[in-house]
Amino acid sequence: MEIVILAVVIAVVLVGAVSGLVVGGRRKKQLPPAERPSATPTITTPPAEPRVGDEAETPRDESRRTIEEVDLPTAEAPEAPPAEAEPAPAAPEVEVPEPTEGRLVRLRARLARSQNALGKGLLTLLSREHLDEDTWEEIEDTLLTADVGVVPTQELVERLRERVRVLGTRTPQELRTLLREELLKLVATDAPSAVKTDNGLETPAVVMVVGVNGTGKTTTTGKLARVLVADGKSVVLGAADTFRAAAADQLQTWGERVGARTVRGPEGGDPASIAFDAVKEGIAEHADVVLIDTAGRLHTKAGLMDELGKVKRVVEKQAPLDEVLLVLDATTGQNGLVQARVFAEVVNITGIVLTKLDGTAKGGIVVAVQRELGVPVKLIGLGEGPDDLAPFDPEAFVDALIGD
């Protein structure tokens, strides 16, 4: 049995050996001549990578010219773009103020409230058929309520009594004429009511504006500059109010609107020094008028009032002081007279500017302040607009109070 198994194993080995020989012989068959690899392989150099400026296609054999032989087009230098100039800051537009002639007549409607308090109230009382003592007391109360003052009120009532007695019968037109004449006597003064802007010297006229805080002093100074420019005057502004924040900026803005230069200094600086420089600049520029805005003084503080006197003295070292205008708030009535008295003791006030006459003010304050100080009202403010400051005209003022 073992012999049989051994024989089978040998037979299997022989069959596997024969099969391996047959497969190996087939692999050793020769390839055809066309497919037979060369004993020495030929190596082909790959095309060079194109460089910058080379053509993408294969270069052809052709004559080539050098750079010197090629006529190149003349290259024109590109025009440089024009340099953009930095935009200059836009100059503020210079305004043309309204003419001052007849300005008070144009602003007549602003006195409507004062008409009700004074002019129309008196006309209504005087038109009564019987003027008894009670009526005359009402007339007196009307005048006092309108801030005319005690003494001027008594004088006016006495004159009205006499003229009504002589006149007898009274038509509305006769009463209006009578009241106009009597009020005009109270309002008008012998002193010139125009702001002095021509001193006859080679130096400019110097106008100093004073007043208590809150009366609209700096605004009035700016509006006065417009009034003077409208009259053909050249103006230099002095911002000597260094204590109120932004007062100098406010005044400079007013000046720029009409082309007037503003001389200013540091906030909290010496007002007298700035006023001195303003007059000096006005002289150098041959200006017609120098307007000096001073700090708003509390009339109860002696130190501040003394400083105002110092500003006046320093200014007069450069040029004579032609005007000292006191700005009063017309709505304060008799209280404004207390301020006026104190200012008059420190500086020689030459004129009054009454502001806010378009509000609840009583027109009679014009009479009271002129009687109290002995100086004329020269300007009145009748609104918030830039051209609502008008030169005072007694006749136009009385006509506005009485109405048509």
Side-chain angles (χ1 to χ4, degrees), residues 375-395:
V375 295
V377 171
K378 296 198 171 186
L379 297 159
I380 56 175
L382 296 169
E384 298 297 330
D387 293 321
D388 288 347
L389 184 72
F392 182 66
D393 182 347
E395 292 190 6

Side-chain angles (χ1 to χ4, degrees), residues 118-119 122 143 148 156 159 178-188 367 398 401-402:
L118 182 57
L122 290 177
L143 292 169
V148 173
L156 179 58
R159 290 202 300 267
L178 181 151
L179 186 58
R180 182 183 186 277
E181 292 175 356
E182 294 300 328
L183 286 176
L184 194 56
K185 291 179 182 178
L186 287 179
V187 172
V367 177
V398 170
L401 289 181
I402 297 176

Side-chain angles (χ1 to χ4, degrees), residues 97-399:
E98 294 183 4
T100 59
E101 184 178 357
R103 184 179 290 188
L104 184 56
V105 176
R106 296 195 300 273
L107 298 174
R108 182 172 176 173
R110 305 290 176 84
L111 290 171
R113 295 189 181 183
S114 292
Q115 286 180 17
N116 295 333
L118 182 57
K120 290 186 177 180
L122 290 177
L123 280 175
T124 301
L125 292 172
L126 291 173
S127 299
R128 290 181 180 178
E129 186 176 354
H130 300 288
L131 296 178
D132 54 15
E133 288 300 321
D134 291 338
T135 302
W136 287 111
E137 286 183 5
E138 288 186 51
I139 292 174
E140 187 172 329
D141 290 341
T142 299
L143 292 169
L144 291 174
T145 303
D147 290 329
V148 173
V150 176
V151 176
T153 294
Q154 292 174 348
E155 293 178 2
L156 179 58
V157 170
E158 289 300 321
R159 290 202 300 267
L160 288 174
R161 277 176 177 265
E162 182 65 25
R163 294 196 62 176
V164 168
R165 187 182 302 114
V166 172
L167 186 62
T169 58
R170 307 174 304 279
T171 64
Q173 185 58 42
E174 289 174 335
L175 284 175
R176 180 172 283 103
T177 301
L178 181 151
L179 186 58
R180 182 183 186 277
E181 292 175 356
E182 294 300 328
L183 286 176
L184 194 56
K185 291 179 182 178
L186 287 179
V187 172
T189 64
D190 295 332
S193 59
V195 177
K196 186 177 180 182
T197 57
D198 186 5
N199 56 14
L201 305 175
E202 295 182 357
T203 57
V206 181
V207 179
M208 188 165 69
V209 183
V210 301
V212 177
N213 291 325
T215 58
K217 179 177 48 55
T218 300
T219 299
T220 297
T221 306
K223 291 183 178 181
L224 178 55
R226 296 179 66 89
V227 169
L228 297 176
V229 170
D231 289 339
K233 304 291 184 181
S234 58
V235 179
V236 171
L237 295 170
D241 185 353
T242 59
F243 296 105
R244 185 172 66 86
D249 293 336
Q250 181 183 357
L251 187 64
Q252 184 171 349
T253 300
W254 278 103
E256 288 174 348
R257 290 176 180 175
V258 292
R261 196 166 73 84
T262 302
V263 178
R264 55 185 296 180
E267 188 172 326
D270 181 18
S273 175
I274 297 172
F276 182 88
D277 291 341
V279 177
K280 184 178 180 181
E281 290 295 329
I283 295 173
E285 295 181 10
H286 303 287
D288 296 318
V289 185
V290 176
L291 291 178
I292 301 173
D293 177 32
T294 61
R297 307 293 167 176
L298 296 177
H299 63 279
T300 56
K301 296 185 178 181
L304 293 178
M305 298 301 293
D306 290 342
E307 188 175 323
L308 182 60
K310 174 187 173 184
V311 173
K312 177 179 179 294
R313 292 191 300 271
V314 169
V315 166
E316 290 176 334
K317 293 180 179 179
Q318 283 278 355
L321 192 58
D322 297 279
E323 290 272 13
V324 178
L325 299 179
L326 174 62
V327 180
L328 291 178
D329 184 344
T331 61
T332 61
Q334 296 295 316
N335 291 333
L337 296 180
V338 178
Q339 303 169 8
R341 294 189 195 104
V342 179
F343 277 97
E345 295 173 0
V346 180
V347 290
N348 182 26
I349 296 173
T350 60
I352 304 295
V353 182
L354 281 175
T355 62
K356 307 177 186 179
L357 266 174
D358 59 318
T360 57
K362 318 300 191 305
I365 189 62
V366 174
V367 177
V369 72
Q370 292 187 138
R371 284 291 190 94
E372 179 69 25
L373 300 178
V375 295
V377 171
K378 296 198 171 186
L379 297 159
I380 56 175
L382 296 169
E384 298 297 330
D387 293 321
D388 288 347
L389 184 72
F392 182 66
D393 182 347
E395 292 190 6
F397 182 75
V398 170
D399 289 339

